[in-house]
Every structure is written in C-alpha cells, then in structure tokens.
Amino acid sequence: MNLKDKVAVVTGGAYGLGLATVTRLVEKGAKVVIFDLNEEKAKEAVEQLGENVRFVLVNVADDESVQNGIAQTIDAFGAIHICVNCAGVGTAAKMIGKKGALPLEDFS
Ligand SMILES: NC(=O)c1ccc[n+]([C@@H]2O[C@H](COP(=O)([O-])OP(=O)(O)OC[C@H]3O[C@@H](n4cnc5c(N)ncnc54)[C@H](O)[C@@H]3O)[C@@H](O)[C@H]2O)c1
C-alpha cells in the first residue's frame, strides 16, 4: 500500500499498539496526528519521529475534544485519509478463570 503523504489520525498513538502504528505509518511516508491524553509520551514520540508527526491533546470520550483534534489535523496537514483507533484502557484478565467470571466492575 502506498502511504506516501497520506494523513492518518491514530488515537492512543502515544503509547503501546498506537505508538507502534504511528511509527510504522511514518516509516511508510505518512503524516500522522496522535490523539491522546498522555502528553509526556506523545511529546517523546513527536521528538523521536520528526516533523511528520504532530500531537493534539484529545479525549476520545469527549465529542468537542475530538472535533478540535480533527480541526487541528486539517489545519496542519490539509486532510484525513486514515484513522486507526487504539485509544482505550484495558487490564489483562481471563473472562472466566479458576475463581469464576471476570468481575463486572473490572469489565465496566
Ligand atoms: N495490548 C493488547 O494485547 C491488547 C489486546 C486486546 C485489546 N487491546 C486494546 O487495544 C487498545 C490499545 O492497547 P495498548 O496495549 O496499546 O494500550 P496502552 O494502554 O498501552 O495505550 C493506550 C493509549 O490510549 C490512550 N488513551 C486512553 N484513554 C484515552 C482517551 N479517553 N482519549 C485519548 N487517548 C486515550 C492512553 O493514554 C495510551 O497512550 C486498548 O483499548 C486495549 O484495551 C489491547
């Protein structure tokens, strides 16, 4: 796939699977905007990956915040061609283990 000069938004792109996705997209020539709550990690990523990566502080659970991120992405790079959603929270646990089902509280 030719990703040269395509513009991607990666939510949760400051860390983990999202950061790996950002790194790969940039290697392939894309421009990427990270939407994340973790400013420290996102700024590290921007520093390491260069001018084709930007960061906007976005809470994906907040509509206004997402709209702001989209507007800033268009301002910076003129378009959005790709969106990869990696933002989220999760703890590693079995749905059913020796002690029974995962507590509903943890799932929520
Ligand atoms: N890693 C795995 O093996 C695995 C397996 C299945 C599902 N998942 C899911 O995939 C997603 C990414 O996994 P990961 O391991 O990279 O997680 P991670 O915790 O390493 O990274 C998640 C990123 O999302 C950001 N984030 C969290 N809430 C946010 C919000 N409201 N707005 C914006 N950014 C937010 C965090 O700041 C963080 O940078 C998660 O939803 C996780 O539950 C992961």
Side-chain angles (χ1 to χ4, degrees):
M1 193 184 298
N2 182 5
L3 296 176
K4 180 106 183 73
D5 294 329
K6 296 293 180 210
V7 180
V9 166
V10 180
T11 73
Y15 200 70
L17 300 174
L19 177 57
T21 304
V22 172
T23 305
R24 191 55 187 255
L25 287 166
V26 170
E27 283 169 5
K28 292 276 185 181
K31 299 172 194 302
V32 183
V33 180
I34 294 170
F35 287 8
D36 206 295
L37 291 172
N38 189 330
E39 284 189 78
E40 191 189 330
K41 289 288 175 196
K43 284 176 180 167
E44 276 176 32
V46 170
E47 244 172 59
Q48 279 172 17
L49 295 169
E51 62 180 14
N52 283 340
V53 180
R54 305 285 169 87
F55 163 61
V56 185
L57 182 66
V58 170
N59 177 1
V60 298
D62 181 308
D63 186 50
E64 202 177 311
S65 179
V66 173
Q67 293 296 338
N68 174 52
I70 289 170
Q72 290 205 42
T73 303
I74 304 279
D75 274 356
F77 293 134
I80 297 175
H81 306 108
I82 300 160
C83 179
V84 183
N85 287 306
C86 292
V89 285
T91 49
K94 288 182 179 171
M95 294 308 287
I96 299 175
K98 285 180 185 158
K99 292 179 185 164
L102 178 75
L104 186 58
E105 195 179 82
D106 292 358
F107 180 77
S108 298

XYZ file of all heavy atoms in Angstrom:
833
model
N 0.850 -1.194 0.000
C 0.000 0.000 0.000
C 0.888 1.247 0.000
O 1.837 1.314 0.779
C -0.887 -0.006 1.245
C -2.007 0.993 1.180
S -2.955 1.037 2.727
C -3.581 -0.647 2.779
N 0.578 2.185 -0.876
C 1.377 3.412 -0.920
C 0.805 4.438 0.069
O -0.280 4.973 -0.141
C 1.371 3.974 -2.343
C 2.232 5.214 -2.447
O 2.897 5.601 -1.478
N 2.219 5.843 -3.604
N 1.554 4.707 1.135
C 1.074 5.633 2.169
C 1.763 6.987 2.090
O 1.530 7.846 2.946
C 1.301 5.020 3.559
C 0.523 3.737 3.850
C 0.898 3.176 5.211
C -0.973 3.990 3.781
N 2.564 7.190 1.061
C 3.314 8.442 0.955
C 2.367 9.631 0.950
O 1.423 9.695 0.169
C 4.150 8.402 -0.337
C 4.970 9.615 -0.597
C 6.455 9.339 -0.341
C 7.307 10.587 -0.520
N 7.180 11.565 0.544
N 2.595 10.541 1.896
C 1.827 11.782 2.037
C 0.353 11.591 2.397
O -0.421 12.546 2.331
C 1.968 12.664 0.791
C 3.393 13.163 0.644
O 4.072 13.354 1.672
O 3.845 13.337 -0.507
N -0.041 10.368 2.741
C -1.387 10.187 3.292
C -1.375 10.731 4.725
O -0.338 10.753 5.388
C -1.791 8.711 3.317
C -1.906 8.094 1.933
C -3.057 8.690 1.159
C -3.169 8.064 -0.213
N -3.711 8.980 -1.203
N -2.539 11.170 5.180
C -2.631 11.739 6.531
C -3.450 10.796 7.412
O -4.578 10.426 7.061
C -3.291 13.134 6.498
C -3.373 13.714 7.915
C -2.527 14.067 5.562
N -2.847 10.411 8.535
C -3.518 9.483 9.450
C -3.706 10.109 10.823
O -2.845 10.834 11.313
C -2.695 8.204 9.585
N -4.839 9.791 11.427
C -5.052 10.072 12.847
C -4.928 8.741 13.574
O -5.525 7.742 13.145
C -6.469 10.659 13.080
C -6.830 10.622 14.568
C -6.549 12.077 12.548
N -4.127 8.715 14.633
C -4.036 7.498 15.454
C -4.424 7.874 16.878
O -3.690 8.607 17.566
C -2.622 6.879 15.424
C -2.592 5.619 16.304
C -2.205 6.536 13.991
N -5.582 7.414 17.313
C -5.980 7.671 18.703
C -5.220 6.697 19.594
O -4.960 5.550 19.211
C -7.502 7.509 18.912
O -7.846 6.131 18.871
C -8.306 8.273 17.871
N -4.810 7.174 20.766
C -3.981 6.345 21.643
C -2.591 6.140 21.075
O -1.892 5.188 21.411
N -2.164 7.053 20.212
C -0.896 6.901 19.488
C 0.353 7.221 20.285
O 1.462 7.086 19.776
N 0.167 7.637 21.540
C 1.338 7.995 22.347
C 2.062 6.786 22.900
O 3.235 6.886 23.289
C 0.899 8.893 23.504
N 1.397 5.643 22.913
C 1.956 4.515 23.652
C 1.422 3.202 23.080
O 0.392 3.164 22.413
C 1.534 4.633 25.128
C 2.397 3.849 26.081
C 3.704 4.245 26.329
C 1.915 2.709 26.712
C 4.508 3.518 27.205
C 2.711 1.980 27.588
C 4.007 2.384 27.830
O 4.808 1.674 28.685
N 2.127 2.117 23.358
C 1.637 0.768 23.078
C 1.365 0.506 21.607
O 2.153 0.884 20.728
N 0.251 -0.151 21.336
C -0.097 -0.531 19.964
C -0.228 0.705 19.081
O 0.128 0.685 17.899
C -1.421 -1.308 19.959
C -1.461 -2.613 20.765
C -2.876 -3.200 20.782
C -0.488 -3.628 20.187
N -0.775 1.784 19.666
C -0.944 3.027 18.904
C 0.386 3.605 18.465
O 0.546 4.001 17.312
N 1.345 3.632 19.384
C 2.665 4.181 19.046
C 3.342 3.321 17.973
O 3.969 3.847 17.048
C 3.545 4.276 20.294
C 4.973 4.774 20.061
C 4.991 6.149 19.401
C 5.757 4.811 21.373
N 3.192 2.003 18.078
C 3.760 1.111 17.056
C 3.122 1.416 15.697
O 3.805 1.421 14.659
C 3.533 -0.343 17.451
N 1.838 1.700 15.705
C 1.128 2.021 14.455
C 1.631 3.345 13.876
O 1.885 3.456 12.672
C -0.394 2.102 14.734
O -0.822 0.874 15.317
C -1.176 2.376 13.467
N 1.795 4.338 14.766
C 2.309 5.649 14.321
C 3.684 5.472 13.674
O 3.949 5.988 12.581
C 2.415 6.636 15.513
C 3.118 7.928 15.099
C 1.041 6.941 16.082
N 4.547 4.721 14.355
C 5.917 4.519 13.875
C 5.913 3.890 12.486
O 6.615 4.337 11.570
C 6.698 3.627 14.872
O 6.624 4.234 16.158
C 8.133 3.457 14.466
N 5.088 2.867 12.312
C 5.041 2.158 11.028
C 4.496 3.072 9.922
O 4.999 3.092 8.800
C 4.163 0.913 11.178
C 4.232 -0.048 10.010
C 5.678 -0.454 9.743
N 5.780 -1.243 8.545
C 5.975 -2.563 8.529
N 6.137 -3.205 9.651
N 6.034 -3.205 7.389
N 3.455 3.832 10.233
C 2.870 4.735 9.233
C 3.895 5.775 8.773
O 4.006 6.069 7.579
C 1.626 5.432 9.808
C 0.373 4.563 9.953
C -0.667 5.258 10.825
C -0.224 4.255 8.581
N 4.655 6.309 9.744
C 5.661 7.329 9.399
C 6.775 6.711 8.551
O 7.223 7.310 7.571
C 6.232 7.987 10.681
C 7.428 8.864 10.377
C 5.152 8.814 11.354
N 7.186 5.506 8.914
C 8.215 4.813 8.107
C 7.760 4.657 6.663
O 8.560 4.659 5.739
C 8.482 3.416 8.687
C 9.355 3.421 9.928
C 9.385 2.060 10.624
O 8.796 1.072 10.104
O 9.979 2.003 11.712
N 6.462 4.499 6.477
C 5.905 4.292 5.133
C 5.600 5.616 4.421
O 4.980 5.627 3.357
C 4.612 3.472 5.241
C 4.833 2.051 5.689
C 5.206 1.196 4.505
C 5.331 -0.260 4.876
N 5.713 -1.081 3.716
N 5.944 6.741 5.061
C 5.805 8.035 4.376
C 4.553 8.817 4.703
O 4.304 9.872 4.108
N 3.751 8.320 5.646
C 2.525 9.039 6.000
C 2.827 10.173 6.986
O 3.863 10.183 7.655
C 1.520 8.074 6.625
N 1.880 11.107 7.055
C 1.903 12.140 8.094
C 0.869 11.702 9.134
O -0.213 11.249 8.761
C 1.532 13.490 7.506
C 2.500 13.960 6.419
C 1.962 15.198 5.747
C 2.665 15.530 4.453
N 4.078 15.746 4.502
N 1.220 11.863 10.405
C 0.358 11.289 11.447
C 0.083 12.296 12.552
O 0.995 13.015 12.991
C 1.024 10.042 12.077
C 0.096 9.408 13.111
C 1.399 9.019 11.011
N -1.163 12.351 12.982
C -1.507 13.146 14.162
C -1.966 12.183 15.263
O -2.858 11.360 15.057
C -2.600 14.187 13.859
C -2.929 14.979 15.125
C -2.128 15.130 12.754
N -1.286 12.303 16.405
C -1.615 11.485 17.575
C -2.689 12.202 18.380
O -2.518 13.369 18.747
C -0.362 11.302 18.461
C 0.707 10.485 17.730
C -0.724 10.669 19.799
C 2.065 10.472 18.450
N -3.795 11.498 18.637
C -4.809 11.983 19.583
C -4.616 11.169 20.860
O -4.836 9.947 20.843
C -6.231 11.717 19.082
C -6.704 12.575 17.942
C -5.868 13.441 17.269
C -8.035 12.496 17.536
C -6.331 14.214 16.216
C -8.503 13.269 16.490
C -7.653 14.131 15.827
N -4.241 11.816 21.945
C -4.000 11.049 23.180
C -4.114 11.963 24.382
O -4.059 13.195 24.253
C -2.598 10.397 23.131
C -2.505 9.139 23.985
O -2.629 9.246 25.229
O -2.311 8.053 23.423
N -4.248 11.345 25.561
C -4.287 12.091 26.825
C -2.910 12.156 27.478
O -2.709 12.956 28.392
C -5.258 11.409 27.808
C -6.737 11.475 27.454
C -7.546 10.598 28.411
C -7.233 12.908 27.512
N -1.991 11.302 27.041
C -0.682 11.224 27.670
C 0.292 12.172 26.958
O 0.973 11.803 25.996
C -0.169 9.775 27.620
C 1.080 9.575 28.449
O 1.866 10.497 28.613
N 1.265 8.384 28.953
N 0.336 13.399 27.469
C 1.143 14.435 26.817
C 2.627 14.090 26.806
O 3.316 14.324 25.810
C 0.977 15.766 27.564
C -0.331 16.449 27.288
C -0.355 17.855 27.865
O 0.227 18.750 27.257
O -0.967 18.016 28.931
N 3.100 13.544 27.930
C 4.526 13.265 28.064
C 4.983 12.264 27.009
O 5.951 12.506 26.267
C 4.788 12.729 29.471
C 6.249 12.641 29.823
C 6.463 11.902 31.148
O 5.582 11.968 32.025
O 7.501 11.249 31.267
N 4.266 11.159 26.896
C 4.643 10.108 25.933
C 4.445 10.598 24.496
O 5.230 10.283 23.602
C 3.809 8.845 26.174
C 4.172 8.119 27.428
C 5.522 7.425 27.276
C 5.977 6.793 28.557
N 7.395 6.450 28.549
N 3.389 11.358 24.277
C 3.135 11.849 22.919
C 4.245 12.795 22.468
O 4.713 12.726 21.329
C 1.779 12.551 22.869
N 4.691 13.655 23.380
C 5.757 14.604 23.024
C 7.058 13.862 22.744
O 7.814 14.240 21.845
C 5.909 15.663 24.116
C 4.775 16.684 24.020
C 4.806 17.714 25.121
C 3.623 18.684 24.942
N 3.397 19.533 26.117
N 7.328 12.814 23.510
C 8.514 11.980 23.230
C 8.430 11.395 21.822
O 9.409 11.381 21.083
C 8.574 10.809 24.228
C 9.226 11.133 25.556
C 9.146 9.950 26.516
O 9.174 8.784 26.079
O 9.024 10.219 27.717
N 7.244 10.912 21.465
C 7.062 10.303 20.141
C 7.291 11.332 19.034
O 7.974 11.053 18.043
C 5.657 9.714 20.029
N 6.749 12.534 19.225
C 6.919 13.593 18.214
C 8.401 13.927 18.061
O 8.906 14.072 16.946
C 6.102 14.841 18.609
C 6.455 16.027 17.724
C 4.608 14.554 18.532
N 9.096 14.008 19.200
C 10.528 14.316 19.160
C 11.310 13.250 18.393
O 12.171 13.548 17.589
C 11.085 14.397 20.579
C 11.587 15.783 20.945
C 11.948 15.866 22.407
O 12.817 15.087 22.840
O 11.341 16.686 23.109
N 10.960 11.997 18.657
C 11.701 10.894 18.031
C 11.358 10.717 16.560
O 12.218 10.366 15.760
C 11.408 9.582 18.767
C 12.241 9.447 20.027
C 11.817 8.255 20.867
O 11.132 7.356 20.386
N 12.211 8.253 22.121
N 10.104 10.968 16.188
C 9.668 10.603 14.833
C 9.709 11.766 13.843
O 9.600 11.549 12.641
C 8.267 9.985 14.894
C 8.212 8.648 15.662
C 6.780 8.213 15.921
C 8.958 7.562 14.884
N 9.864 12.996 14.350
C 10.115 14.115 13.439
C 8.888 14.876 12.996
O 7.783 14.704 13.523
N 9.099 15.714 11.974
C 8.104 16.729 11.609
C 6.820 16.165 10.987
O 5.827 16.889 10.874
C 8.729 17.753 10.656
C 9.192 17.132 9.352
C 9.819 18.170 8.416
O 10.131 19.295 8.873
O 9.981 17.839 7.236
N 6.841 14.901 10.592
C 5.626 14.315 10.022
C 4.666 13.792 11.084
O 3.639 13.198 10.756
C 5.971 13.187 9.039
C 6.434 13.771 7.721
O 6.156 14.924 7.410
N 7.156 12.977 6.952
N 5.031 14.020 12.350
C 4.136 13.605 13.438
C 3.763 14.815 14.286
O 4.634 15.606 14.659
C 4.800 12.537 14.337
C 3.857 12.115 15.460
C 5.199 11.326 13.517
N 2.492 14.967 14.541
C 2.007 16.033 15.438
C 1.191 15.383 16.550
O 0.737 14.254 16.424
C 1.103 17.014 14.676
C 1.748 17.612 13.433
C 2.781 18.673 13.764
N 3.562 19.029 12.579
C 3.224 19.956 11.696
N 2.112 20.643 11.874
N 3.981 20.198 10.655
N 0.982 16.171 17.589
C 0.193 15.691 18.728
C -0.890 16.702 19.051
O -0.633 17.898 19.087
C 1.111 15.497 19.947
C 0.379 15.406 21.251
C -0.547 14.398 21.478
C 0.605 16.331 22.262
C -1.228 14.317 22.689
C -0.065 16.252 23.471
C -0.987 15.237 23.689
N -2.098 16.198 19.268
C -3.171 17.034 19.804
C -3.716 16.327 21.046
O -3.994 15.120 21.009
C -4.313 17.254 18.787
C -5.334 18.237 19.359
C -3.794 17.755 17.447
N -3.830 17.086 22.120
C -4.400 16.541 23.356
C -5.898 16.329 23.137
O -6.654 17.302 23.022
C -4.153 17.513 24.510
C -4.652 17.073 25.879
C -3.896 15.854 26.381
C -4.519 18.207 26.880
N -6.287 15.055 22.997
C -7.688 14.725 22.710
C -8.152 13.631 23.651
O -7.454 12.639 23.859
C -7.851 14.236 21.244
C -9.256 13.663 21.025
C -7.592 15.350 20.247
N -9.342 13.827 24.198
C -10.022 12.766 24.933
C -11.062 12.173 23.982
O -12.033 12.846 23.622
C -10.688 13.341 26.178
C -11.463 12.283 26.941
O -11.507 11.110 26.565
N -12.084 12.692 28.025
N -10.853 10.932 23.569
C -11.760 10.342 22.573
C -13.184 10.140 23.109
O -14.095 9.870 22.333
C -11.225 9.007 22.006
C -9.905 9.198 21.286
C -11.117 7.939 23.078
N -13.349 10.269 24.425
C -14.683 10.134 25.013
C -15.427 11.467 25.057
O -16.526 11.548 25.599
C -14.568 9.549 26.417
N -14.819 12.507 24.492
C -15.404 13.850 24.554
C -15.536 14.395 23.125
O -14.537 14.644 22.446
C -14.482 14.744 25.391
C -15.008 16.162 25.537
O -15.325 16.800 24.497
O -15.096 16.647 26.663
N -16.784 14.553 22.692
C -17.064 14.933 21.303
C -16.359 16.235 20.898
O -15.743 16.325 19.837
C -18.581 15.072 21.133
C -18.969 15.323 19.691
O -18.504 14.572 18.828
O -19.728 16.280 19.433
N -16.454 17.230 21.784
C -15.853 18.533 21.469
C -14.334 18.423 21.304
O -13.739 19.023 20.408
C -16.182 19.507 22.603
C -16.107 20.961 22.204
C -16.526 21.857 23.360
O -17.595 21.589 23.955
O -15.784 22.790 23.674
N -13.732 17.614 22.168
C -12.294 17.404 22.118
C -11.896 16.736 20.795
O -10.904 17.116 20.158
C -11.894 16.530 23.318
O -10.530 16.260 23.319
N -12.692 15.761 20.363
C -12.401 15.073 19.096
C -12.561 16.045 17.922
O -11.714 16.084 17.014
C -13.328 13.840 18.915
C -13.145 13.223 17.529
C -13.047 12.802 20.001
N -13.624 16.857 17.949
C -13.833 17.842 16.869
C -12.649 18.794 16.781
O -12.189 19.148 15.684
C -15.124 18.650 17.120
C -16.415 17.851 17.026
C -16.685 17.287 15.637
O -16.172 17.786 14.642
N -17.462 16.226 15.571
N -12.138 19.200 17.942
C -10.972 20.082 17.969
C -9.756 19.382 17.349
O -9.008 19.976 16.566
C -10.675 20.505 19.410
C -9.402 21.298 19.515
O -9.204 22.291 18.801
N -8.487 20.873 20.376
N -9.575 18.104 17.676
C -8.454 17.344 17.114
C -8.541 17.242 15.601
O -7.533 17.397 14.897
N -9.752 17.013 15.122
C -9.949 16.900 13.663
C -9.631 18.241 12.992
O -8.923 18.292 11.979
C -11.400 16.449 13.356
C -11.563 14.981 13.774
C -11.724 16.630 11.880
C -13.000 14.477 13.759
N -10.125 19.321 13.584
C -9.869 20.653 13.004
C -8.369 20.945 12.979
O -7.838 21.446 11.967
C -10.614 21.712 13.814
N -7.676 20.594 14.046
C -6.223 20.856 14.093
C -5.457 19.983 13.095
O -4.445 20.406 12.539
C -5.703 20.639 15.512
C -6.194 21.711 16.465
C -5.255 21.885 17.644
O -4.050 21.885 17.505
N -5.835 22.015 18.821
N -5.963 18.779 12.871
C -5.314 17.890 11.888
C -5.451 18.471 10.477
O -4.481 18.517 9.708
C -5.964 16.476 11.932
O -5.846 15.975 13.262
C -5.268 15.537 10.960
N -6.651 18.941 10.161
C -6.884 19.533 8.835
C -6.025 20.793 8.675
O -5.433 21.030 7.615
C -8.387 19.895 8.647
C -9.283 18.676 8.873
C -8.633 20.560 7.298
C -9.424 17.711 7.740
N -5.937 21.597 9.732
C -5.090 22.803 9.687
C -3.636 22.432 9.411
O -2.953 23.089 8.634
C -5.117 23.534 11.040
C -6.279 24.490 11.141
O -7.018 24.636 10.142
O -6.463 25.081 12.225
N -3.166 21.380 10.077
C -1.745 21.012 9.970
C -1.426 20.348 8.640
O -0.414 20.667 8.003
C -1.370 20.076 11.121
N -2.265 19.412 8.201
C -1.909 18.567 7.047
C -2.929 18.593 5.910
O -2.737 17.942 4.885
C -1.687 17.115 7.504
C -0.469 16.924 8.393
C -0.553 16.160 9.553
C 0.759 17.484 8.072
C 0.561 15.950 10.359
C 1.880 17.290 8.874
C 1.785 16.526 10.019
N -4.055 19.296 6.084
C -4.976 19.531 4.974
C -6.002 18.452 4.675
O -6.870 18.648 3.817
N -5.923 17.296 5.333
C -6.865 16.208 5.027
C -6.756 15.133 6.097
O -5.844 15.168 6.922
C -6.535 15.592 3.667
N -7.679 14.185 6.072
C -7.527 12.951 6.858
C -7.926 11.786 5.945
O -9.044 11.758 5.433
C -8.417 12.943 8.121
C -8.028 14.074 9.076
C -8.295 11.591 8.853
C -8.940 14.215 10.295
N -6.988 10.863 5.705
C -7.265 9.708 4.851
C -7.449 8.416 5.641
O -8.069 7.477 5.163
C -6.113 9.493 3.852
C -5.789 10.705 3.048
N -4.651 11.461 3.236
C -6.471 11.304 2.035
C -4.645 12.474 2.386
N -5.727 12.400 1.656
N -6.845 8.380 6.836
C -6.785 7.126 7.600
C -7.073 7.446 9.069
O -6.603 8.464 9.569
C -5.361 6.515 7.519
C -4.973 6.220 6.062
C -5.227 5.269 8.403
C -3.467 6.075 5.857
N -7.833 6.576 9.727
C -7.990 6.691 11.185
C -7.806 5.317 11.815
O -8.464 4.355 11.402
C -9.367 7.256 11.536
S -9.607 7.387 13.329
N -6.884 5.237 12.757
C -6.675 3.986 13.496
C -6.995 4.260 14.963
O -6.379 5.134 15.583
C -5.217 3.483 13.370
C -5.054 2.147 14.084
C -4.797 3.375 11.913
N -7.966 3.551 15.492
C -8.385 3.774 16.874
C -7.709 2.777 17.818
O -8.046 1.592 17.806
C -9.907 3.639 16.988
C -10.606 4.829 16.364
O -10.307 5.975 16.721
N -11.493 4.589 15.440
N -6.750 3.276 18.584
C -6.065 2.437 19.582
C -6.286 2.955 20.996
O -5.815 2.331 21.947
C -4.567 2.382 19.300
S -4.143 1.496 17.794
N -6.927 4.103 21.149
C -7.144 4.645 22.494
C -8.051 3.705 23.271
O -9.032 3.190 22.744
C -7.786 6.022 22.422
N -7.694 3.497 24.503
C -8.542 2.659 25.329
C -7.838 2.274 26.597
O -6.658 2.562 26.779
N -8.562 1.661 27.465
C -7.969 1.160 28.697
C -8.380 -0.293 28.858
O -9.492 -0.674 28.554
C -8.414 1.960 29.934
C -7.722 3.297 29.990
C -9.912 2.113 29.980
N -7.457 -1.075 29.305
C -7.794 -2.483 29.495
C -6.797 -3.121 30.433
O -5.629 -2.756 30.442
N -7.257 -4.053 31.218
C -6.335 -4.813 32.056
C -6.383 -6.253 31.576
O -7.432 -6.739 31.152
C -6.757 -4.763 33.539
O -8.149 -5.084 33.620
C -6.532 -3.398 34.133
N -5.217 -6.896 31.613
C -5.162 -8.279 31.179
C -5.855 -9.170 32.204
O -5.513 -9.146 33.379
C -3.705 -8.692 31.011
N -6.853 -9.913 31.773
C -7.555 -10.820 32.681
C -8.363 -11.821 31.866
O -8.788 -11.517 30.747
C -8.499 -10.041 33.596
N -8.546 -12.997 32.443
C -9.371 -14.005 31.771
C -10.842 -13.683 32.008
O -11.219 -13.303 33.119
C -9.064 -15.388 32.329
C -7.714 -15.904 31.897
C -7.495 -17.298 32.444
C -6.148 -17.811 31.977
N -5.785 -19.063 32.638
N -11.667 -13.874 30.988
C -13.109 -13.651 31.154
C -13.670 -14.659 32.159
O -14.534 -14.338 32.970
C -13.853 -13.793 29.815
C -13.492 -12.717 28.791
S -13.634 -11.056 29.450
C -15.393 -10.865 29.529
N -13.151 -15.912 32.072
C -13.530 -16.921 33.073
C -12.261 -17.622 33.538
O -11.524 -18.167 32.720
C -14.510 -17.964 32.502
C -15.802 -17.274 32.053
C -14.819 -19.036 33.546
C -16.791 -18.179 31.358
N -11.969 -17.533 34.831
C -10.783 -18.170 35.392
C -11.168 -19.140 36.495
O -12.366 -19.452 36.673
N -10.150 -19.579 37.234
C -10.406 -20.553 38.309
C -11.336 -19.986 39.373
O -12.056 -20.710 40.048
C -9.079 -20.977 38.951
C -8.305 -21.928 38.068
C -6.999 -22.337 38.715
C -6.208 -23.188 37.718
N -4.790 -23.214 38.001
N -11.287 -18.635 39.530
C -12.115 -18.014 40.573
C -13.476 -17.561 40.031
O -14.186 -16.791 40.669
C -11.374 -16.819 41.174
C -10.149 -17.225 41.979
C -9.419 -16.018 42.541
C -8.146 -16.449 43.222
N -7.219 -15.360 43.449
N -13.792 -17.991 38.836
C -15.082 -17.621 38.267
C -14.958 -16.553 37.191
O -13.872 -16.343 36.635
N -16.062 -15.877 36.903
C -16.101 -14.896 35.825
C -15.397 -13.603 36.246
O -15.310 -13.293 37.450
C -17.551 -14.598 35.463
N -14.867 -12.883 35.241
C -14.276 -11.557 35.485
C -15.328 -10.678 36.171
O -16.469 -10.602 35.705
C -13.888 -10.929 34.138
C -13.294 -9.539 34.171
C -11.850 -9.581 34.663
C -13.338 -8.910 32.778
N -14.959 -10.007 37.291
C -15.954 -9.153 37.964
C -16.482 -8.065 37.010
O -15.701 -7.468 36.270
C -15.161 -8.525 39.112
C -14.006 -9.425 39.328
C -13.689 -10.027 37.989
N -17.780 -7.856 37.057
C -18.409 -6.875 36.181
C -17.776 -5.486 36.350
O -17.622 -4.727 35.390
C -19.910 -6.811 36.465
C -20.734 -5.931 35.530
C -20.585 -6.367 34.083
C -22.196 -5.941 35.944
N -17.369 -5.188 37.588
C -16.753 -3.892 37.881
C -15.480 -3.676 37.030
O -15.276 -2.610 36.455
C -16.382 -3.871 39.359
C -16.070 -2.502 39.911
C -15.736 -2.615 41.398
O -14.587 -2.942 41.714
O -16.645 -2.373 42.204
N -14.649 -4.722 36.954
C -13.423 -4.626 36.148
C -13.761 -4.435 34.677
O -13.133 -3.658 33.966
C -12.562 -5.895 36.280
C -11.974 -6.043 37.679
O -12.213 -5.151 38.517
O -11.291 -7.057 37.917
N -14.757 -5.176 34.206
C -15.159 -5.078 32.803
C -15.658 -3.673 32.497
O -15.294 -3.071 31.487
C -16.254 -6.107 32.499
C -16.718 -6.073 31.075
C -15.960 -6.635 30.054
C -17.916 -5.459 30.746
C -16.396 -6.593 28.734
C -18.353 -5.417 29.436
C -17.589 -5.988 28.433
N -16.464 -3.127 33.408
C -17.018 -1.780 33.192
C -15.893 -0.760 33.122
O -15.923 0.150 32.310
C -17.973 -1.405 34.322
O -19.054 -2.308 34.333
N -2.184 -4.953 24.110
C -3.018 -5.979 23.971
O -2.640 -7.171 23.997
C -4.493 -5.723 23.717
C -5.332 -6.804 23.467
C -6.693 -6.571 23.197
C -7.176 -5.283 23.212
N -6.337 -4.240 23.470
C -6.905 -2.896 23.450
O -6.261 -2.129 22.437
C -6.123 -0.786 22.889
C -4.656 -0.378 22.894
O -3.935 -1.297 23.705
P -2.487 -0.937 24.255
O -1.951 -2.175 24.876
O -1.689 -0.254 23.190
O -2.888 0.088 25.427
P -1.961 1.199 26.135
O -2.550 1.405 27.481
O -0.527 0.818 26.015
O -2.188 2.504 25.244
C -3.441 3.112 25.184
C -3.267 4.582 24.848
O -4.572 5.151 24.791
C -4.540 6.404 25.470
N -5.887 6.717 25.942
C -6.590 6.081 26.923
N -7.790 6.656 27.085
C -7.846 7.688 26.181
C -8.829 8.663 25.882
N -10.004 8.699 26.524
N -8.556 9.565 24.898
C -7.382 9.538 24.249
N -6.403 8.643 24.493
C -6.639 7.730 25.453
C -3.540 6.212 26.599
O -3.053 7.467 27.071
C -2.467 5.360 25.911
O -1.473 6.156 25.294
C -6.750 -0.715 24.289
O -8.092 -0.320 24.172
C -6.661 -2.154 24.764
O -7.655 -2.433 25.742
C -5.014 -4.448 23.717
